[in-house]
Structures are given as structure tokens and as C-alpha cells.
Amino acid sequence: MEQTILVVEDEKKMARLLQLELEHEGFTVDVKYDGLDALEAFYGNTYQLILLDVMLPSLSGMELLRRIRKQDAHVPVMLLTARDAVPDKVSGFDLGATDYMTKPFEIEELLARIRAHLRHTNTAAEKEPALQVGDLTLDEKTRTVKRGKNELELTPREYDLLLFLMKHEKQVLTRDQLLERVWGFQYAGDTNVVDVYIRYLRKKVDAAARRKLIKTVRGVGYTIKDEEK
């Protein structure tokens, strides 16, 4: 399976070095130089690991880490920083950092740690069951979605929207929450796009089924739940 790493580093020479080394190791690499750009990329894509500089323009690395952990508790996040003081390391770990490397570092050690974190994540993912709401199942490893025995063909955006709904089963999610988490900041304020994609999803997920799983909460937003449980 293709493994994609997000590199968030405002020093462009360092970012380019990391990109070249990681691509040489066979990874796909997405590079961002700004905290807000990185957050938008995180909301709109799936990454297997994130390399995160602490000192960033627009949004600090620590604040970016905090927001990442609000949505994803599992993706490995390695902090890269020139600060080696113990309080800084403690703050990073308290916010959910997986690992911490102080600049300058040896690239071979960084790559070895990345491989170790990915092995651990992949092993955990193999043990993790597919998401399920009623007879609707979603397998993140294969990106397969089924309603009963029937496999559903979803576009990437439809898949991301359904994944977020299923990860928050029974929670009422506002249109603004769905915009921010599924589309990112570029769609801020245009909540009509959420209604459009909910209609697309309903046609594929609920139209042919006796039990409807995707619910509208009038005046608030949407939720997914199996009311016959």
C-alpha cells in the first residue's frame, strides 16, 4: 500500500532534503511550509505519518498538533525542533506527539524511527476491525464500503464524508464541522456543498435499503446511526 508522509517545515532547504530522502525510501511526500496550509492538507488527505516542525508561520507546530489530535488519535506525529529543553519535549508529548527529534539530526536515525513507527501503525491497523453502522461497513485498509453484501462505489470525497460520519456514529455534526474536517478551509462558509454530498451519499447508502442510516437533524446538521439496534 502506498504510504504518504506529510512534511511540515518552513526551512525550504531542510524540507527539500527530507522530501528527497523520503522519496528515495519509496514514500510519497507532501510538503507544506506553513501551519495553516498543513492543517488544510491534513483535513483533506490521509497520511500515514507527519513530520512536524515546531516553529511555523501562521499556526505553531504545537497548535497544529493539538488540532490534528482532535481528529486523529493514531497517526504518528514526529516533532522536529531546534529546542532540546525538557519542558518543550514534555509539552509535545502531552499534546500527543509520537516522537521528538532535535535538530541537527542524522537522517539515517530519522528514517529508522519513521520505519519503526510505520511498522507499529500497520500492525495495529491490521488488528483494527472495520467500521460498522447497522449493515453498513467501511474497511479503511482497503477503502471498501458495503451495505449488506453489496459493495458501494464512492468518490474520494463521498468516502471521506462517510468515514467521518461513521467515526462519529450517533454524534450530531454541524455543516461547519463537516466542512472543516472533510473539505478544509477552502470551502469555509459554503455549507451547501455538505447538503449536496449528503444527497449523493444517501442515494448510494440508503436508497435501496429498508433502514435509513443517514439522518438529518433539523436546524443543526447530520448524523449516522442504526435506530433498530
Side-chain angles (χ1 to χ4, degrees), residues 68-92:
I68 287 171
R69 283 295 177 240
K70 284 181 67 176
Q71 179 167 338
D72 191 326
H74 303 295
V75 61
V77 180
M78 296 182 63
L79 295 180
L80 307 178
T81 179
R83 297 178 176 179
D84 61 356
V86 171
D88 293 325
K89 295 180 181 181
V90 171
S91 296

PDB file of all heavy atoms in Angstrom, residues 68-92:
ATOM      1  N   ILE A  68      -4.635  18.371  15.110  1.00  0.00           N
ATOM      2  CA  ILE A  68      -4.552  17.050  14.484  1.00  0.00           C
ATOM      3  C   ILE A  68      -5.097  15.989  15.432  1.00  0.00           C
ATOM      4  O   ILE A  68      -5.876  15.116  15.037  1.00  0.00           O
ATOM      5  CB  ILE A  68      -3.097  16.738  14.091  1.00  0.00           C
ATOM      6  CG1 ILE A  68      -2.674  17.567  12.884  1.00  0.00           C
ATOM      7  CG2 ILE A  68      -2.917  15.239  13.795  1.00  0.00           C
ATOM      8  CD1 ILE A  68      -1.193  17.490  12.570  1.00  0.00           C
ATOM      9  N   ARG A  69      -4.708  16.070  16.697  1.00  0.00           N
ATOM     10  CA  ARG A  69      -5.132  15.061  17.662  1.00  0.00           C
ATOM     11  C   ARG A  69      -6.630  15.131  17.964  1.00  0.00           C
ATOM     12  O   ARG A  69      -7.218  14.136  18.400  1.00  0.00           O
ATOM     13  CB  ARG A  69      -4.324  15.196  18.950  1.00  0.00           C
ATOM     14  CG  ARG A  69      -2.920  14.630  18.825  1.00  0.00           C
ATOM     15  CD  ARG A  69      -2.953  13.116  18.590  1.00  0.00           C
ATOM     16  NE  ARG A  69      -1.624  12.552  18.402  1.00  0.00           N
ATOM     17  CZ  ARG A  69      -1.235  11.913  17.312  1.00  0.00           C
ATOM     18  NH1 ARG A  69      -2.075  11.755  16.293  1.00  0.00           N
ATOM     19  NH2 ARG A  69      -0.024  11.412  17.218  1.00  0.00           N
ATOM     20  N   LYS A  70      -7.267  16.266  17.736  1.00  0.00           N
ATOM     21  CA  LYS A  70      -8.716  16.356  17.909  1.00  0.00           C
ATOM     22  C   LYS A  70      -9.432  15.472  16.900  1.00  0.00           C
ATOM     23  O   LYS A  70     -10.519  14.964  17.162  1.00  0.00           O
ATOM     24  CB  LYS A  70      -9.199  17.802  17.763  1.00  0.00           C
ATOM     25  CG  LYS A  70      -8.921  18.676  18.975  1.00  0.00           C
ATOM     26  CD  LYS A  70      -9.435  20.084  18.780  1.00  0.00           C
ATOM     27  CE  LYS A  70     -10.951  20.118  18.722  1.00  0.00           C
ATOM     28  NZ  LYS A  70     -11.456  21.514  18.628  1.00  0.00           N
ATOM     29  N   GLN A  71      -8.818  15.277  15.731  1.00  0.00           N
ATOM     30  CA  GLN A  71      -9.457  14.475  14.692  1.00  0.00           C
ATOM     31  C   GLN A  71      -8.896  13.069  14.594  1.00  0.00           C
ATOM     32  O   GLN A  71      -9.629  12.130  14.295  1.00  0.00           O
ATOM     33  CB  GLN A  71      -9.333  15.169  13.326  1.00  0.00           C
ATOM     34  CG  GLN A  71      -9.970  14.353  12.205  1.00  0.00           C
ATOM     35  CD  GLN A  71     -10.133  15.137  10.929  1.00  0.00           C
ATOM     36  OE1 GLN A  71     -10.163  16.350  10.951  1.00  0.00           O
ATOM     37  NE2 GLN A  71     -10.233  14.445   9.807  1.00  0.00           N
ATOM     38  N   ASP A  72      -7.615  12.898  14.817  1.00  0.00           N
ATOM     39  CA  ASP A  72      -6.969  11.599  14.613  1.00  0.00           C
ATOM     40  C   ASP A  72      -6.026  11.317  15.772  1.00  0.00           C
ATOM     41  O   ASP A  72      -5.014  11.989  15.948  1.00  0.00           O
ATOM     42  CB  ASP A  72      -6.187  11.611  13.292  1.00  0.00           C
ATOM     43  CG  ASP A  72      -5.715  10.228  12.876  1.00  0.00           C
ATOM     44  OD1 ASP A  72      -5.388   9.422  13.778  1.00  0.00           O
ATOM     45  OD2 ASP A  72      -5.644   9.955  11.671  1.00  0.00           O
ATOM     46  N   ALA A  73      -6.371  10.318  16.564  1.00  0.00           N
ATOM     47  CA  ALA A  73      -5.577   9.987  17.744  1.00  0.00           C
ATOM     48  C   ALA A  73      -4.440   9.020  17.422  1.00  0.00           C
ATOM     49  O   ALA A  73      -3.623   8.724  18.307  1.00  0.00           O
ATOM     50  CB  ALA A  73      -6.473   9.378  18.818  1.00  0.00           C
ATOM     51  N   HIS A  74      -4.361   8.530  16.194  1.00  0.00           N
ATOM     52  CA  HIS A  74      -3.454   7.417  15.903  1.00  0.00           C
ATOM     53  C   HIS A  74      -2.312   7.744  14.948  1.00  0.00           C
ATOM     54  O   HIS A  74      -1.261   7.112  15.044  1.00  0.00           O
ATOM     55  CB  HIS A  74      -4.256   6.242  15.336  1.00  0.00           C
ATOM     56  CG  HIS A  74      -5.360   5.778  16.237  1.00  0.00           C
ATOM     57  ND1 HIS A  74      -5.118   5.216  17.466  1.00  0.00           N
ATOM     58  CD2 HIS A  74      -6.711   5.823  16.094  1.00  0.00           C
ATOM     59  CE1 HIS A  74      -6.271   4.913  18.052  1.00  0.00           C
ATOM     60  NE2 HIS A  74      -7.246   5.278  17.238  1.00  0.00           N
ATOM     61  N   VAL A  75      -2.496   8.674  14.016  1.00  0.00           N
ATOM     62  CA  VAL A  75      -1.431   8.920  13.036  1.00  0.00           C
ATOM     63  C   VAL A  75      -0.159   9.342  13.769  1.00  0.00           C
ATOM     64  O   VAL A  75      -0.176  10.214  14.635  1.00  0.00           O
ATOM     65  CB  VAL A  75      -1.854   9.992  12.002  1.00  0.00           C
ATOM     66  CG1 VAL A  75      -2.158  11.334  12.659  1.00  0.00           C
ATOM     67  CG2 VAL A  75      -0.787  10.149  10.928  1.00  0.00           C
ATOM     68  N   PRO A  76       0.990   8.702  13.466  1.00  0.00           N
ATOM     69  CA  PRO A  76       2.237   9.089  14.131  1.00  0.00           C
ATOM     70  C   PRO A  76       2.645  10.521  13.750  1.00  0.00           C
ATOM     71  O   PRO A  76       2.651  10.877  12.566  1.00  0.00           O
ATOM     72  CB  PRO A  76       3.258   8.072  13.604  1.00  0.00           C
ATOM     73  CG  PRO A  76       2.449   6.932  13.090  1.00  0.00           C
ATOM     74  CD  PRO A  76       1.181   7.537  12.583  1.00  0.00           C
ATOM     75  N   VAL A  77       2.963  11.324  14.755  1.00  0.00           N
ATOM     76  CA  VAL A  77       3.432  12.697  14.540  1.00  0.00           C
ATOM     77  C   VAL A  77       4.788  12.837  15.208  1.00  0.00           C
ATOM     78  O   VAL A  77       4.917  12.715  16.427  1.00  0.00           O
ATOM     79  CB  VAL A  77       2.456  13.738  15.114  1.00  0.00           C
ATOM     80  CG1 VAL A  77       3.002  15.152  14.870  1.00  0.00           C
ATOM     81  CG2 VAL A  77       1.074  13.595  14.492  1.00  0.00           C
ATOM     82  N   MET A  78       5.827  13.084  14.398  1.00  0.00           N
ATOM     83  CA  MET A  78       7.185  13.272  14.904  1.00  0.00           C
ATOM     84  C   MET A  78       7.524  14.757  14.880  1.00  0.00           C
ATOM     85  O   MET A  78       7.480  15.391  13.821  1.00  0.00           O
ATOM     86  CB  MET A  78       8.183  12.488  14.054  1.00  0.00           C
ATOM     87  CG  MET A  78       7.994  10.976  14.106  1.00  0.00           C
ATOM     88  SD  MET A  78       9.248  10.111  13.125  1.00  0.00           S
ATOM     89  CE  MET A  78      10.750  10.578  13.978  1.00  0.00           C
ATOM     90  N   LEU A  79       7.848  15.308  16.024  1.00  0.00           N
ATOM     91  CA  LEU A  79       8.226  16.714  16.121  1.00  0.00           C
ATOM     92  C   LEU A  79       9.696  16.888  15.771  1.00  0.00           C
ATOM     93  O   LEU A  79      10.550  16.128  16.239  1.00  0.00           O
ATOM     94  CB  LEU A  79       7.959  17.241  17.522  1.00  0.00           C
ATOM     95  CG  LEU A  79       6.499  17.285  17.988  1.00  0.00           C
ATOM     96  CD1 LEU A  79       6.425  17.848  19.402  1.00  0.00           C
ATOM     97  CD2 LEU A  79       5.631  18.098  17.038  1.00  0.00           C
ATOM     98  N   LEU A  80       9.985  17.905  14.955  1.00  0.00           N
ATOM     99  CA  LEU A  80      11.353  18.266  14.599  1.00  0.00           C
ATOM    100  C   LEU A  80      11.592  19.684  15.090  1.00  0.00           C
ATOM    101  O   LEU A  80      10.871  20.601  14.693  1.00  0.00           O
ATOM    102  CB  LEU A  80      11.552  18.195  13.082  1.00  0.00           C
ATOM    103  CG  LEU A  80      11.156  16.894  12.389  1.00  0.00           C
ATOM    104  CD1 LEU A  80      11.365  17.017  10.887  1.00  0.00           C
ATOM    105  CD2 LEU A  80      11.950  15.717  12.945  1.00  0.00           C
ATOM    106  N   THR A  81      12.595  19.889  15.945  1.00  0.00           N
ATOM    107  CA  THR A  81      12.774  21.214  16.516  1.00  0.00           C
ATOM    108  C   THR A  81      14.213  21.455  16.929  1.00  0.00           C
ATOM    109  O   THR A  81      14.953  20.513  17.216  1.00  0.00           O
ATOM    110  CB  THR A  81      11.849  21.410  17.732  1.00  0.00           C
ATOM    111  OG1 THR A  81      12.071  22.706  18.293  1.00  0.00           O
ATOM    112  CG2 THR A  81      12.095  20.354  18.783  1.00  0.00           C
ATOM    113  N   ALA A  82      14.584  22.726  16.957  1.00  0.00           N
ATOM    114  CA  ALA A  82      15.909  23.102  17.437  1.00  0.00           C
ATOM    115  C   ALA A  82      15.937  23.184  18.955  1.00  0.00           C
ATOM    116  O   ALA A  82      16.997  23.275  19.559  1.00  0.00           O
ATOM    117  CB  ALA A  82      16.311  24.449  16.839  1.00  0.00           C
ATOM    118  N   ARG A  83      14.762  23.134  19.577  1.00  0.00           N
ATOM    119  CA  ARG A  83      14.692  23.220  21.038  1.00  0.00           C
ATOM    120  C   ARG A  83      14.885  21.838  21.661  1.00  0.00           C
ATOM    121  O   ARG A  83      14.205  20.890  21.289  1.00  0.00           O
ATOM    122  CB  ARG A  83      13.329  23.769  21.465  1.00  0.00           C
ATOM    123  CG  ARG A  83      13.054  25.187  20.989  1.00  0.00           C
ATOM    124  CD  ARG A  83      11.661  25.603  21.416  1.00  0.00           C
ATOM    125  NE  ARG A  83      11.372  26.986  21.076  1.00  0.00           N
ATOM    126  CZ  ARG A  83      10.206  27.577  21.326  1.00  0.00           C
ATOM    127  NH1 ARG A  83       9.237  26.886  21.916  1.00  0.00           N
ATOM    128  NH2 ARG A  83      10.010  28.831  20.999  1.00  0.00           N
ATOM    129  N   ASP A  84      15.790  21.737  22.614  1.00  0.00           N
ATOM    130  CA  ASP A  84      16.006  20.449  23.268  1.00  0.00           C
ATOM    131  C   ASP A  84      15.725  20.504  24.773  1.00  0.00           C
ATOM    132  O   ASP A  84      16.057  19.570  25.504  1.00  0.00           O
ATOM    133  CB  ASP A  84      17.423  19.937  23.028  1.00  0.00           C
ATOM    134  CG  ASP A  84      18.482  20.883  23.594  1.00  0.00           C
ATOM    135  OD1 ASP A  84      18.108  21.964  24.100  1.00  0.00           O
ATOM    136  OD2 ASP A  84      19.678  20.540  23.512  1.00  0.00           O
ATOM    137  N   ALA A  85      15.086  21.599  25.234  1.00  0.00           N
ATOM    138  CA  ALA A  85      14.762  21.716  26.657  1.00  0.00           C
ATOM    139  C   ALA A  85      13.687  20.700  27.030  1.00  0.00           C
ATOM    140  O   ALA A  85      12.760  20.438  26.256  1.00  0.00           O
ATOM    141  CB  ALA A  85      14.288  23.129  26.983  1.00  0.00           C
ATOM    142  N   VAL A  86      13.821  20.118  28.222  1.00  0.00           N
ATOM    143  CA  VAL A  86      12.875  19.102  28.680  1.00  0.00           C
ATOM    144  C   VAL A  86      11.429  19.604  28.677  1.00  0.00           C
ATOM    145  O   VAL A  86      10.518  18.887  28.231  1.00  0.00           O
ATOM    146  CB  VAL A  86      13.281  18.580  30.074  1.00  0.00           C
ATOM    147  CG1 VAL A  86      12.181  17.690  30.658  1.00  0.00           C
ATOM    148  CG2 VAL A  86      14.590  17.797  29.973  1.00  0.00           C
ATOM    149  N   PRO A  87      11.142  20.837  29.165  1.00  0.00           N
ATOM    150  CA  PRO A  87       9.742  21.302  29.151  1.00  0.00           C
ATOM    151  C   PRO A  87       9.124  21.314  27.758  1.00  0.00           C
ATOM    152  O   PRO A  87       7.934  21.022  27.608  1.00  0.00           O
ATOM    153  CB  PRO A  87       9.835  22.711  29.742  1.00  0.00           C
ATOM    154  CG  PRO A  87      11.049  22.686  30.596  1.00  0.00           C
ATOM    155  CD  PRO A  87      12.026  21.804  29.872  1.00  0.00           C
ATOM    156  N   ASP A  88       9.931  21.649  26.733  1.00  0.00           N
ATOM    157  CA  ASP A  88       9.403  21.635  25.365  1.00  0.00           C
ATOM    158  C   ASP A  88       9.046  20.216  24.930  1.00  0.00           C
ATOM    159  O   ASP A  88       8.023  19.987  24.291  1.00  0.00           O
ATOM    160  CB  ASP A  88      10.434  22.226  24.395  1.00  0.00           C
ATOM    161  CG  ASP A  88      10.655  23.711  24.628  1.00  0.00           C
ATOM    162  OD1 ASP A  88       9.679  24.405  24.980  1.00  0.00           O
ATOM    163  OD2 ASP A  88      11.789  24.176  24.462  1.00  0.00           O
ATOM    164  N   LYS A  89       9.893  19.264  25.284  1.00  0.00           N
ATOM    165  CA  LYS A  89       9.609  17.874  24.935  1.00  0.00           C
ATOM    166  C   LYS A  89       8.357  17.382  25.658  1.00  0.00           C
ATOM    167  O   LYS A  89       7.496  16.730  25.068  1.00  0.00           O
ATOM    168  CB  LYS A  89      10.802  16.978  25.285  1.00  0.00           C
ATOM    169  CG  LYS A  89      12.053  17.269  24.478  1.00  0.00           C
ATOM    170  CD  LYS A  89      13.193  16.328  24.877  1.00  0.00           C
ATOM    171  CE  LYS A  89      14.455  16.630  24.097  1.00  0.00           C
ATOM    172  NZ  LYS A  89      15.563  15.726  24.455  1.00  0.00           N
ATOM    173  N   VAL A  90       8.257  17.720  26.944  1.00  0.00           N
ATOM    174  CA  VAL A  90       7.087  17.302  27.726  1.00  0.00           C
ATOM    175  C   VAL A  90       5.813  17.884  27.126  1.00  0.00           C
ATOM    176  O   VAL A  90       4.793  17.189  26.993  1.00  0.00           O
ATOM    177  CB  VAL A  90       7.247  17.729  29.203  1.00  0.00           C
ATOM    178  CG1 VAL A  90       5.938  17.506  29.967  1.00  0.00           C
ATOM    179  CG2 VAL A  90       8.372  16.940  29.851  1.00  0.00           C
ATOM    180  N   SER A  91       5.853  19.171  26.737  1.00  0.00           N
ATOM    181  CA  SER A  91       4.673  19.807  26.127  1.00  0.00           C
ATOM    182  C   SER A  91       4.255  19.075  24.862  1.00  0.00           C
ATOM    183  O   SER A  91       3.068  18.835  24.625  1.00  0.00           O
ATOM    184  CB  SER A  91       4.967  21.276  25.809  1.00  0.00           C
ATOM    185  OG  SER A  91       5.205  22.008  26.983  1.00  0.00           O
ATOM    186  N   GLY A  92       5.243  18.704  24.050  1.00  0.00           N
ATOM    187  CA  GLY A  92       4.934  17.987  22.812  1.00  0.00           C
ATOM    188  C   GLY A  92       4.289  16.636  23.078  1.00  0.00           C
ATOM    189  O   GLY A  92       3.270  16.294  22.462  1.00  0.00           O
TER     190      GLY A  92
END
